Amino acid sequence: MAVVFKKTSMLTDVPFHYCPGCTHGIIHRLVAEVLEELGVGNDNIIGVAPVGCAVFAYNYFNCDMMEAAHGRAPAVATGIKRVHPDKLVFTYQGDGDLASIGAAEIVHAAARGEKITTIFVNNAIYGMTGGQMAPTSLPGQVTTTSPYGRDTSHCGYPVKVCEMLSQLDGPAYIQRVSVHDVKNVVAAKKAIRKAFEAQIAGKGFSLIEVLSTCPTNWGLPPQEALKWLEENMIPQFPLGVYKEI
Amino acid sequence: MAKVLMKGNEAIAEAAIKAGCRFFFGYPITPQNQIPEYMSKRMPQVGGCFLQAESEVSAINMVYGAAGAGARAMTSSSSPGISLKQEGISYAVGAELPLVVVNMVRGGPGLGSIQPAQSDYYQATRGGGHGDYRLPVFAPSSVQEAVELMATAFDVADKYRNPVMLLGDGMLGQIMEPVEMIQERSEPLPKKPWASGVPEKEGRSIINSLYINPDECEVHNYKLERKYQEITANEVRVQLIDTEGADILLVAYGTMARICQRAAKDAYKQLGLKVGLVRPITLWPYPYEALKNAAEQPSVKHVLSVEMSTGQMVDDVRLAVCGAKPVSFYGRTGGMVPTVKDILAKLSSIKEGM
């Protein structure tokens, strides 16, 4: 029988631990498909997993993987890339990891024009630890540490990573995408491909921010979570290309 | 090779390069700045990489990445910066990554002072970061010994797949001494089939310290513990100077040991005391056995630990002597250095009580 569809070889044959309806699975597959389609071979790819929901990413991506301390993935990836400049090196990080505890690491990796690619999954909440307020939580968003809603007069505003990093000279490609519907999933894959191509071309640092859902900690069924993302997150975090050289 | 006059920090940096280190990640802090400065000049000349990180936290994590990618990599700092690196060191231990950290200790706590101290002894020898672990800690007392121990540090790190610390102090880093530089390593570096991206790797490399199931985490910790027992059995280093038949034993390491060596000599002339010196070269594993044996000699009446701290190593001295003889402490702290005269005065008061 003719094979009309198969799973990408860049994902291992291990079940994801992600919650039902979570879009990490889609994002993993997009990254893996791009890595496969680039044709560099899995021995030439080294990924760095974060601390957070994607902590087990090292079990899923079918290439060499390192697990970094919380927020430190861009520094770890820097060390890797300097040893193996010919390998494709990427980090996969959530919003707490990248935009809060790892803010220094991502800013300076970007400023150095470090030739790595970062997949930044923004779901506006700390998922793994049970739904605490994230640096990207929306104004008024109820979380376990902002039970009355995020009060901007008390704890400030969401961090806009693409907007911030695009002001630097080091990044080669920065885009914000979403995966809340098919059209956007297709666009997200294209963006991820461009980011890796920028690395292969030696242009500098690249980052794709992917708006993602967390039905479990948002307290919404998966369908409603997709809708919530579209209606609430996109106005706060506008999609688009923020930097391209 | 002819001797050259070198500053401790620069000699240590050159020795690391001679030992095959080609990746250095660091952040400025006094009194170790000549290490990154020297590396920034030398690494491009030898095809290596020097990168100034945005913080000590990032520097150690860059070393983590480079070590995980199979390279000989290191960082250096001084006390406050070493505190920041503890997270990364703990992760490197968990992921079993060989790397070298140099700590040119200064006065603490907090920002403390920039003068030499030995007040990071507990941190260095008890793990330093979170979790059940130890680091082999080498404590050179001269620039010559420091350059030789740099090569040993990398070899021990690779042999056991564990971070290793070279513990100096502001004086060792800043002093200029004649030194015979070690030879460039001629043999190839050890193969690392577990590392990411290396040609010799066996299948998919995963560098990780997470064992989410507690039973697996315990198995991992016992594996580390077996390694520490092996290191304890194989890697203890100590120098005994005139300890045989001594009346009093001094115990001191690093810079302090050099001052004590002079005090021991002067004590014979000035006080009529035979004073021996036990100088631990590895602070972990600690030379308990050698110190115990020296202290248990019938001639020995007293054991004195001398440190640039308020008394940290003295705990290990007490563990070694285990009540067999009285143990005292003398030290100064915050960047103040005990003098020969200070130590003689302490020895004199011990003599009166003997």
Side-chain angles (χ1 to χ4, degrees), chain A residues 141-212:
Chain A
Q141 188 178 336
V142 172
T143 72
T144 61
T145 52
S146 57
Y148 309 110
R150 181 175 188 162
D151 175 359
T152 54
S153 70
H154 174 66
C155 53
Y157 295 86
V159 174
K160 298 179 176 182
V161 170
C162 291
E163 288 84 340
M164 271 169 50
L165 297 184
S166 62
Q167 299 306 306
L168 299 168
D169 295 328
Y173 193 79
I174 294 179
Q175 185 174 349
R176 183 182 288 127
V177 296
S178 176
V179 288
H180 67 279
D181 61 20
V182 174
K183 183 174 155 239
N184 278 283
V185 168
V186 172
K189 184 173 171 182
K190 275 189 191 145
I192 290 166
R193 188 180 176 98
K194 284 191 98 165
F196 279 106
E197 283 170 348
Q199 181 183 165
I200 291 170
K203 287 182 180 169
F205 176 80
S206 55
L207 177 142
I208 302 300
E209 176 174 343
V210 188
L211 301 184
S212 181

Side-chain angles (χ1 to χ4, degrees), chain A:
Chain A
M1 198 189 287
V3 177
V4 292
F5 179 81
K6 68 180 178 66
K7 189 171 156 181
T8 168
S9 65
M10 276 305 299
L11 284 177
T12 58
D13 205 15
V14 173
F16 287 151
H17 71 282
Y18 297 110
C19 301
C22 165
T23 44
H24 262 299
I26 294 172
I27 302 163
H28 273 37
R29 202 175 109 189
L30 296 181
V31 172
E33 285 179 358
V34 166
L35 289 172
E36 185 185 358
E37 287 161 19
L38 287 170
V40 297
N42 61 354
D43 271 343
N44 291 312
I45 302 167
I46 305 170
V48 184
V51 170
C53 285
V55 69
F56 294 118
Y58 57 80
N59 284 332
Y60 306 142
F61 289 108
N62 191 16
C63 56
D64 288 356
M65 291 292 294
M66 285 196 210
E67 167 54 37
H70 201 23
R72 318 299 178 218
V76 171
T78 297
I80 299 169
K81 188 70 178 188
R82 298 298 174 129
V83 174
H84 298 304
D86 53 332
K87 309 282 188 203
L88 214 49
V89 178
F90 72 98
T91 71
Y92 187 106
Q93 304 175 254
D95 43 79
D97 189 88
L98 182 142
S100 193
I101 197 166
E105 283 77 5
I106 196 65
V107 166
H108 287 274
R112 284 193 302 270
E114 207 63 55
K115 294 174 187 65
I116 60 172
T117 299
T118 290
I119 307 299
F120 167 40
V121 179
N122 177 4
N123 60 8
I125 206 155
Y126 282 82
M128 183 62 104
T129 45
Q132 295 81 14
M133 188 183 76
T136 50
S137 289
L138 306 186
Q141 188 178 336
V142 172
T143 72
T144 61
T145 52
S146 57
Y148 309 110
R150 181 175 188 162
D151 175 359
T152 54
S153 70
H154 174 66
C155 53
Y157 295 86
V159 174
K160 298 179 176 182
V161 170
C162 291
E163 288 84 340
M164 271 169 50
L165 297 184
S166 62
Q167 299 306 306
L168 299 168
D169 295 328
Y173 193 79
I174 294 179
Q175 185 174 349
R176 183 182 288 127
V177 296
S178 176
V179 288
H180 67 279
D181 61 20
V182 174
K183 183 174 155 239
N184 278 283
V185 168
V186 172
K189 184 173 171 182
K190 275 189 191 145
I192 290 166
R193 188 180 176 98
K194 284 191 98 165
F196 279 106
E197 283 170 348
Q199 181 183 165
I200 291 170
K203 287 182 180 169
F205 176 80
S206 55
L207 177 142
I208 302 300
E209 176 174 343
V210 188
L211 301 184
S212 181
T213 62
C214 183
T216 300
N217 290 301
W218 291 356
L220 295 172
Q223 280 296 334
E224 284 179 40
L226 293 169
K227 199 159 172 271
W228 192 87
L229 185 163
E230 185 181 7
E231 291 174 358
N232 297 281
M233 285 185 74
I234 292 177
Q236 181 71 45
F237 302 110
L239 306 185
V241 176
Y242 284 83
K243 182 88 189 270
E244 184 170 16
I245 59 165

